[in-house]
């Protein structure tokens, strides 16, 4: 469902950019190399992120390939168009101090929220930062997916509808238990299949709502939002912390729900950079450099 929604959003973006070049409603026969390249140039002028432009190109490439197979286009106009290269960068991981500040902000009522829901905000931060979930995965959690007890965990439905089990720290589980009492007062129902995370009005949280609440917490905690999706930096923090404490990369892959271990491998580099930065913190290191 999320993939289809993202695909429709990309095509809507292409429609706007192509129609800006054509000055009229775009038709299948208007999908030519020159028109597409002009739209791409406009995307560059709009300063869309390279990763966003790369995704848009991939979406249109798939559509054009389909139209050629259906004999609705004589040739593939995307054949000679290269996707923008995404610059290589390490994932951003927050420090312990930043996570503490974020939790402190979550625990305090947001003066601009009507109504405020600090118990919900705390659980959102913990599920993302101490469970490593994507925002879409957190939004998709059901009551039955939370498993309390001596070994608390979350059953997570990830990409490709693949399920995985994420163990939870007892302290995180205790916060979820406190939240559940609040949830019982605000939920329309308590069936096992109803959403775990709900708004104060009883409606389910969406990925966009989670991102909005995380962005508000960043601002209130004085944390500069990293590039990319707001909530994803907390997932990065979880992954880097797992590598920092020596969890094998294959196990980190399973915890994150990555299809390929190569995707998880970037956290090895991020962890090394994280540890190098930490090693510069002790006073002895500053004394050695004369600072």
């Amino acid at each position: 469902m999320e993939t289809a929604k993202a695909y429709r959003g990309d095509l809507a973006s292409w429609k706007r950019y192509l129609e800006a070049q054509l000055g009229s409603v775009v038709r299948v026969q208007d999908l030519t190399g020159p028109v597409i390249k002009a739209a791409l140039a406009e995307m560059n002028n709009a300063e869309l992120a390279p990763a966003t432009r790369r995704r848009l190109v991939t979406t249109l490439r798939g559509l054009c390939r389909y139209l050629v197979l259906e004999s609705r286009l004589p040739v593939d106009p995307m054949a000679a168009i290269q996707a923008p290269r995404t610059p290589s960068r390490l994932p951003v991981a927050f420090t312990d101090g930043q996570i503490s500040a974020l939790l402190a902000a979550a625990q305090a009522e947001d003066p601009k929220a009507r109504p405020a829901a600090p118990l919900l905000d705390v659980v959102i931060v913990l599920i993302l930062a101490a469970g490593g979930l994507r925002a879409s995965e957190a939004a998709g959690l059901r009551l039955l997916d939370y498993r309390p007890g001596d070994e608390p965990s979350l059953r997570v439905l990830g990409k490709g509808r693949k399920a995985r089990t994420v163990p939870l720290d007892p302290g995180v589980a205790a916060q979820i238990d406190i939240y559940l009492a609040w949830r019982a007062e605000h939920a329309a129902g308590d069936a096992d299949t109803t959403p775990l995370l709900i708004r104060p009005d009883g409606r389910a949280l969406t990925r966009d709502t989670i991102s909005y609440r995380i962005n508000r917490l960043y601002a209130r905690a004085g944390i500069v939002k990293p590039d990319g999706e707001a909530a994803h930096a907390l997932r990065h923090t979880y992954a880097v912390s797992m590598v920092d404490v020596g969890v094998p990369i294959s196990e980190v892959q399973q915890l994150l729900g990555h299809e390929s271990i190569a995707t998880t491998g970037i956290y090895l580099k991020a962890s090394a950079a994280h540890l190098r930065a930490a090693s510069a913190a002790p006073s002895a290191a500053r004394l050695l450099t004369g600072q």
Side-chain angles (χ1 to χ4, degrees):
M1 182 181 296
E2 291 295 335
T3 301
K5 180 181 177 182
Y7 190 80
R8 288 193 297 270
D10 287 348
L11 291 180
S13 296
W14 272 112
K15 183 174 183 293
R16 290 194 301 272
Y17 280 103
L18 291 169
E19 289 181 349
Q21 305 306 314
L22 295 166
S24 60
V25 176
V26 64
R27 300 164 300 173
V28 170
Q29 55 265 40
D30 295 322
L31 294 175
T32 63
V35 172
I36 293 171
K37 288 180 179 178
L40 274 173
E42 191 63 30
M43 290 177 186
N44 291 335
N45 293 336
E47 297 185 349
L48 292 183
T52 299
R53 286 184 279 125
R54 185 179 183 86
R55 191 193 69 239
L56 288 167
V57 168
T58 299
T59 297
L60 190 62
R61 194 184 304 282
L63 175 63
C64 289
R65 188 178 297 121
Y66 168 78
L67 292 172
V68 170
L69 290 173
E70 292 292 311
S71 300
R72 299 189 58 190
L73 278 177
V75 295
D76 185 351
M78 296 295 292
I81 295 178
Q82 298 295 320
R85 302 189 72 173
T86 303
S88 176
R89 62 185 179 191
L90 296 179
V92 173
F94 292 129
T95 64
D96 289 349
Q98 288 174 313
I99 293 296
S100 294
L102 202 61
L103 283 170
Q107 290 166 347
E109 291 195 355
D110 186 345
K112 293 186 177 180
R114 294 182 177 82
L119 291 176
L120 170 62
D121 287 336
V122 168
V123 167
I124 290 173
V125 172
L126 291 175
I127 284 177
L128 298 175
L133 275 67
R134 303 175 177 93
S136 58
E137 293 172 342
L141 290 171
R142 300 292 181 241
L143 269 178
L144 58 81
D145 293 324
Y146 170 55
R147 299 167 180 174
D150 294 336
E151 297 182 353
S153 65
L154 288 172
R155 177 185 178 275
V156 182
L157 201 59
K159 289 185 176 181
R161 309 290 294 174
K162 291 185 177 180
R164 68 184 189 275
T165 297
V166 176
L168 296 175
D169 180 86
V172 173
Q175 288 295 322
I176 295 178
D177 292 338
I178 295 171
Y179 157 79
L180 287 177
W182 174 91
R183 182 193 181 283
E185 298 174 1
H186 295 81
D190 58 357
D192 284 348
T193 55
T194 56
L196 175 64
L197 300 178
I198 63 168
R199 296 160 40 141
D201 61 8
R203 289 186 291 166
L205 284 189
T206 64
R207 181 182 67 178
D208 291 341
T209 308
I210 290 175
S211 293
Y212 170 77
R213 299 187 81 94
I214 290 296
N215 272 321
R216 287 283 307 140
L217 290 174
Y218 286 156
R220 291 170 57 209
I223 296 172
V224 177
K225 186 187 88 66
D227 292 338
E229 185 183 344
H232 220 64
L234 296 175
R235 175 172 161 88
H236 292 327
T237 300
Y238 170 82
V240 171
S241 67
M242 290 294 101
V243 175
D244 280 353
V245 298
V247 177
I249 195 67
S250 58
E251 293 183 18
V252 177
Q253 176 193 5
Q254 293 176 17
L255 291 168
L256 294 174
H258 284 161
E259 183 72 23
S260 169
I261 199 168
T263 305
T264 319
I266 191 172
Y267 293 110
L268 290 172
K269 295 180 181 179
S271 176
H274 193 250
L275 292 174
R276 280 196 299 272
S279 70
S283 57
R286 292 196 299 273
L287 289 171
L288 285 173
T289 58
Q291 296 178 349

